[in-house]
Amino acid sequence: MKTVIVYNHPYDKSFCHAILESAKNGALQAGYQVDIIDLDRDGFNPVMTGKDLLAFRNHKAVDEQAIAYINRIKEADHLVLIFPIWWELMPAMTKGFIDKVIFPGSTYTYTKSGYGMNTMLTNLKSTTIITTMNTPKLLYKFIFGDAIKKALIRGTLKKSGLKKVKWISFNMVKASSEQSRKKWLHQVEKKFSNKK
């Protein structure tokens, strides 16, 4: 069994990095092979070029790094995305990863009508998104429109055919106590050590 973790944060002392370590440790305790895609360390280029857009139309990815990521995710039983929320959205590298890796002909196909989608990630049993932000949960949901839920979960992952998608949001991180952060990290490690 394999867990692929897609991680995006430029600072290795961040709380996101601590979450990454907790998720990895939990998955290893559960006996999973863990493959970490570190977008920042890889120097991933998130920009969709003209060639990428033509490839999207032709349903054949051309970005070599994106193709390598696609192949790694196709081997996964569980997919995890870890990133901070900046200005109510994901960072550019995460958005670029979505644009270049959730790709027609590679990770999904269209139904006959052209309106629906079927996933090609047939090994995936679940997808978990873990985010950090400094915005209060209710403010993010009701004032800023729950952008991650609407755009990433519903508008991308579920739309492209993924079924079991869960979101863990850690809010008010900057104002949180060290005790709260330790508790959160323990919860993450426990969640992944119990994964089936």
Side-chain angles (χ1 to χ4, degrees):
M1 300 288 273
K2 185 173 185 178
T3 297
V4 172
I5 302 176
V6 181
Y7 173 70
N8 178 197
H9 200 293
Y11 182 48
D12 63 7
K13 303 293 183 188
S14 68
F15 188 60
C16 270
H17 195 271
I19 291 169
L20 168 66
E21 291 299 317
S22 293
K24 178 182 78 173
N25 290 339
L28 289 172
Q29 287 171 37
Y32 286 86
Q33 179 186 352
V34 178
D35 179 11
I36 298 172
I37 294 173
D38 187 330
L39 300 178
D40 294 87
R41 194 166 286 178
D42 288 353
F44 175 64
N45 177 11
V47 177
M48 284 283 281
T49 65
K51 286 182 180 178
D52 291 314
L53 287 171
L54 182 61
F56 194 93
R57 183 177 177 186
N58 294 330
H59 298 186
K60 189 168 176 64
V62 293
D63 183 295
E64 290 184 12
Q65 199 169 26
I67 292 168
Y69 290 160
I70 289 164
N71 290 334
R72 288 161 73 177
I73 291 170
K74 281 184 173 179
E75 296 177 354
D77 298 281
H78 304 287
L79 176 64
V80 183
L81 286 81
I82 301 172
F83 58 88
I85 292 179
W86 294 338
W87 292 110
E88 319 316 330
L89 295 168
M90 72 278 283
M93 279 191 176
T94 301
K95 180 61 169 70
F97 176 88
I98 296 300
D99 290 341
K100 289 181 160 185
V101 173
I102 308 301
F103 211 86
S106 297
T107 59
Y108 70 89
T109 58
Y110 291 100
T111 59
K112 274 188 176 182
S113 68
Y115 295 110
M117 298 177 184
N118 294 314
T119 186
M120 294 174 70
L121 301 174
T122 52
N123 278 0
L124 270 189
K125 294 176 176 63
S126 68
T127 301
T128 304
I129 299 161
I130 308 176
T131 61
T132 61
M133 68 174 99
N134 293 316
T135 305
K137 190 167 283 188
L138 290 176
L139 194 65
Y140 187 75
K141 183 174 182 178
F142 294 110
I143 301 299
F144 298 116
D146 234 0
I148 294 298
K149 188 172 186 178
K150 289 179 180 176
L152 179 58
I153 297 173
R154 287 184 191 160
T156 304
L157 300 177
K158 288 188 174 181
K159 183 180 179 181
S160 65
L162 299 185
K163 301 296 182 193
K164 293 184 179 177
V165 182
K166 295 184 180 178
W167 177 26
I168 301 169
S169 175
F170 293 110
N171 297 65
M172 300 292 289
V173 172
K174 193 174 181 181
S176 65
S177 66
E178 185 177 348
Q179 185 178 3
S180 292
R181 295 184 192 195
K182 284 181 179 178
K183 182 181 176 183
W184 291 340
L185 293 174
H186 177 71
Q187 288 171 351
V188 169
E189 186 167 328
K190 186 177 179 182
K191 173 184 170 52
F192 286 95
S193 66
N194 291 333
K195 207 162 213 8
K196 294 177 181 178

